[in-house]
Amino acid sequence: MNPTSFEHIEAYLDGNITKQELEAQLTPDQLATLEEDIEWLKNSRIAVQAEGLRQQLKETLPKAKNKETKVVSFYSNKQQLYWIAASLVVLFVAFWGVYINDQSSLYEKHLYKDPGLPVLMSQSEQYQLYDAMSFYSEGNYVVAAQKLKTLQEETGATDTTNYYLGASLLYQDKPNEAIPYLNEVSEANSAFKQKSEWLLLLAYIKDEQLEEAKASLSNILSNEQHLFYKEAQELSQELD
């Protein structure tokens, strides 16, 4: 079970989200095993509860006869197996939570917020771009992304619109959507290439694509003149 889907299923079993909301947050692969994963988690939680009950009974009930003790022991051992499995799940989730928090802190620590282009509305031929950038510079990345997408649909994509669209999506905490746009610019001979490479690396970290992040980091470290070379060195040590 994917740790992310584990958290969503936990929320569903706790009544914090509906079944539809749960399904909307899962990938097709996760949906294929959803019912099995729900049943497994239910059983694990029951096992944990059963172990708690067993401990209470052990403390309160008097000792039984030898024959009865053997029967209880059989079921107790079976419950212990469930308890061990459930405990491993809890430990895994706890470890994964620490890991995710660490990844998130790395992202926040090294995030570069591009201030945007100077807004010169007098240049009428670039009005749509500067209109989008006015929202971008104000930190309204939702509207900026919408306007940049509309601009691309009407006039075609450019390195400029791809870069700032990718940045706008990343700053909205949508790394998966941002990656294609940033990747497009990072592979081009563009004025935004190095900044795009850095944001792409951070997008991979945010999206928990660690192998891709390491590859992007290696690419930046291969160029000592890179705009983010020093930051990449520091990030490399922290990832290790």
Side-chain angles (χ1 to χ4, degrees):
M1 186 188 305
N2 182 282
T4 304
S5 63
F6 183 97
E7 294 177 359
H8 294 324
I9 294 173
E10 280 255 281
Y12 165 67
L13 292 177
D14 291 337
N16 295 326
I17 61 174
T18 65
K19 186 70 171 293
Q20 284 185 323
E21 290 173 329
L22 168 64
E23 294 174 347
Q25 298 181 68
L26 301 180
T27 65
D29 289 341
Q30 293 167 347
L31 285 172
T33 60
L34 178 58
E35 295 304 324
E36 295 177 11
D37 292 340
I38 290 175
E39 189 65 25
W40 182 87
L41 187 52
K42 279 183 180 178
N43 291 336
S44 297
R45 297 174 91 175
I46 291 172
V48 173
Q49 294 170 356
E51 175 62 18
L53 177 60
R54 188 184 71 84
Q55 292 296 336
Q56 291 178 2
L57 291 173
K58 183 178 179 181
E59 294 173 1
T60 56
L61 291 178
K63 292 183 180 180
K65 296 180 180 179
N66 290 339
K67 184 176 181 181
E68 292 174 342
T69 301
K70 290 181 181 179
V71 174
V72 173
S73 176
F74 170 78
Y75 288 104
S76 175
N77 289 336
K78 193 172 183 180
Q79 288 176 343
Q80 286 177 356
L81 290 176
Y82 284 122
W83 168 245
I84 292 171
S87 298
L88 289 174
V89 171
V90 172
L91 287 173
F92 174 75
V93 171
F95 168 79
W96 186 256
V98 172
Y99 171 78
I100 293 301
N101 288 334
D102 186 52
Q103 297 298 93
S104 180
S105 65
L106 284 179
Y107 169 80
E108 295 295 342
K109 179 180 179 180
H110 295 282
L111 181 61
Y112 165 70
K113 280 289 186 73
D114 193 303
L117 297 172
V119 179
L120 304 173
M121 301 304 288
S122 59
Q123 299 184 17
S124 58
E125 70 277 6
Q126 296 289 335
Y127 174 80
Q128 285 181 286
L129 174 60
Y130 289 121
D131 181 36
M133 294 312 301
S134 67
F135 287 95
Y136 176 95
S137 62
E138 294 171 359
N140 192 339
Y141 302 117
V142 175
V143 175
Q146 291 172 347
K147 288 182 175 291
L148 287 167
K149 285 181 179 179
T150 299
L151 179 58
Q152 285 193 339
E153 291 171 0
E154 294 179 359
T155 63
T158 66
D159 291 341
T160 302
T161 56
N162 273 334
Y163 172 70
Y164 283 108
L165 178 51
S168 296
L169 292 168
L170 179 60
Y171 300 154
Q172 294 179 61
D173 289 333
K174 297 179 178 180
N176 192 48
E177 294 182 35
I179 286 171
Y181 296 104
L182 295 172
N183 189 55
E184 188 77 22
V185 183
S186 68
E187 294 181 348
N189 184 17
S190 167
F192 300 102
K193 178 178 177 63
Q194 293 188 357
K195 290 194 290 186
S196 187
E197 287 175 335
W198 184 250
L199 290 186
L200 179 62
L201 165 59
L202 295 177
Y204 282 136
I205 291 176
K206 184 71 172 177
D207 202 43
E208 302 167 27
Q209 299 186 43
L210 192 56
E211 292 305 314
E212 288 80 358
K214 288 182 177 180
S216 293
L217 181 61
S218 177
N219 180 54
I220 294 174
L221 290 173
S222 67
N223 177 13
E224 294 184 6
Q225 304 303 315
H226 198 283
L227 183 63
F228 293 93
Y229 181 76
K230 289 184 179 180
E231 287 85 349
Q233 285 183 311
E234 182 180 350
L235 179 56
S236 178
Q237 294 175 349
E238 292 169 340
L239 279 176
D240 290 340

